């Protein structure tokens, strides 16, 4: 079984010490940088945009996983590729022509991800799952860090894992929102491959140890 991955969410980093926090992730056991881009329309919050992503990319030495929470993401696919995104995730609820959007992401040599809001059933992916490299199951309502984990997520992970198996897809399952040492193991047991963690990592007193602890739990 391939190893389970940890993706610290930079949304919870100290933006006044962004380089320091990026270097911390570089030298930790984390696998990916998770970067949340919010437009204030798809979600009720604005995070940061291209100049910040460019600065992150200058220092980041690991996979850059960009999670878009924006309407009409097709407008910016090439821009995010040029900014160094390795994985680009769009929202199921923001894409009228999801199949076309995913092909456009792949044509820019990025992996294509789809995020599902907590109310969106995984069964809606039945006819597109083989085209998706990563499904990001939102375990909080998107827009803010530091929210509580929604327990219904476990059942969604089980259902998605089963759909992936049934269709013979190689899609990874990522969980985003409220991830801590309290739910990491159960999420992986349900079928998760990638755990995003923002507040739990960056608000801890020893960030590298917190990442290491999550990685150990996820692979236990
Ligand atoms: C929420 C973002 C998350 C957020 C997770 O909309 O997509 O990536 O940073 O933060 P925590 O881990 O604090 O819930
Ligand atoms: Zn995210």
């Amino acid at each position: 079984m391939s190893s389970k991955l940890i993706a610290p969410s930079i949304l919870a980093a100290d933006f006044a010490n962004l380089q320091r926090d990026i270097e911390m992730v570089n030298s930790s056991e984390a696998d990916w940088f998770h970067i949340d881009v919010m437009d204030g329309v798809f979600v009720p919050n604005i995070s940061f945009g291209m100049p910040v992503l460019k600065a992150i990319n200058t220092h980041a030495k690991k996979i850059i996983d960009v999670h878009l929470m924006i309407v009409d993401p097709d407008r910016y696919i090439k821009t995010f590729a040029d900014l160094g995104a390795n994985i680009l995730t769009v929202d199921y609820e923001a894409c009228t022509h999801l199949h076309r959007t995913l092909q456009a992401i792949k044509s820019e040599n990025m992996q294509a991800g789809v995020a599902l809001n907590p109310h969106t059933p995984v069964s809606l992916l039945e006819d597109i799952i083989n085209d998706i490299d990563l499904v990001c199951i939102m375990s909080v309502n998107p827009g803010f860090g530091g929210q509580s984990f929604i327990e219904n997520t476990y059942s969604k992970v089980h259902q998605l894992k089963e759909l992936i198996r049934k269709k013979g897809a190689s899609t990874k399952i990522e969980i985003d929102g409220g991830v801590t040492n309290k739910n990491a193991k159960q999420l992986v047991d349900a079928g998760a491959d990638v755990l995003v963690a923002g507040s739990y990592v960056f608000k801890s007193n020893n960030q590298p140890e917190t990442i290491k602890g999550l990685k150990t739990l996820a692979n236990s």
Side-chain angles (χ1 to χ4, degrees):
M1 207 167 60
S2 58
S3 104
K4 306 297 176 182
L5 310 179
I6 306 299
S9 174
I10 296 303
L11 187 65
D14 177 356
F15 294 149
N17 290 288
L18 196 48
Q19 183 177 356
R20 180 199 67 192
D21 285 2
I22 291 167
E23 301 291 2
M24 183 282 293
V25 175
N26 281 338
S27 58
S28 76
E29 289 192 23
D31 300 278
W32 296 356
F33 285 87
H34 183 85
I35 312 289
D36 292 302
V37 177
M38 306 177 183
D39 67 354
V41 179
F42 182 73
V43 288
N45 192 17
I46 298 175
S47 55
F48 47 73
M50 286 71 173
V52 174
L53 190 47
K54 191 172 177 196
I56 292 170
N57 192 33
T58 310
H59 302 290
K61 296 198 172 70
K62 295 181 174 178
I63 296 284
I64 297 190
D65 168 37
V66 174
H67 176 194
L68 298 182
M69 283 159 272
I70 68 173
V71 297
D72 202 0
D74 303 71
R75 291 171 296 166
Y76 298 113
I77 290 171
K78 184 167 183 340
T79 307
F80 284 107
D82 292 344
L83 286 165
N86 302 106
I87 304 163
L88 191 66
T89 295
V90 295
D91 303 283
Y92 179 86
E93 302 81 5
C95 294
T96 311
H97 302 285
L98 185 60
H99 184 275
R100 179 186 292 153
T101 302
L102 297 177
Q103 307 317 319
I105 293 171
K106 291 178 186 182
S107 73
E108 293 294 340
N109 295 317
M110 295 180 288
Q111 290 191 41
V114 176
L116 295 183
N117 270 338
H119 71 275
T120 303
V122 301
S123 57
L124 288 172
L125 299 179
E126 180 152 0
D127 290 310
I128 191 81
I129 193 72
N130 294 89
D131 294 286
I132 307 177
D133 296 307
L134 176 86
V135 173
C136 175
I137 296 187
M138 290 308 304
S139 40
V140 297
N141 282 295
F144 302 93
Q147 303 180 80
S148 329
F149 180 83
I150 297 172
E151 297 285 323
N152 185 53
T153 305
Y154 298 118
S155 142
K156 291 180 81 168
V157 180
H158 276 295
Q159 291 171 47
L160 179 57
K161 190 75 184 170
E162 179 53 24
L163 177 63
I164 291 167
R165 193 199 59 72
K166 193 175 85 185
K167 294 281 188 172
S170 49
T171 315
K172 280 189 162 53
I173 302 176
E174 177 178 67
I175 312 298
D176 188 8
V179 171
T180 68
N181 60 345
K182 301 276 186 290
N183 50 29
K185 175 85 174 94
Q186 200 175 336
L187 285 167
V188 164
D189 287 347
D193 302 292
V194 187
L195 302 178
V196 173
S199 313
Y200 179 64
V201 165
F202 286 100
K203 300 223 179 313
S204 77
N205 292 329
N206 189 334
Q207 298 166 352
E209 277 301 314
T210 302
I211 292 170
K212 186 177 180 178
L214 266 185
K215 179 97 180 170
T216 305
L217 263 178
N219 288 284
S220 62

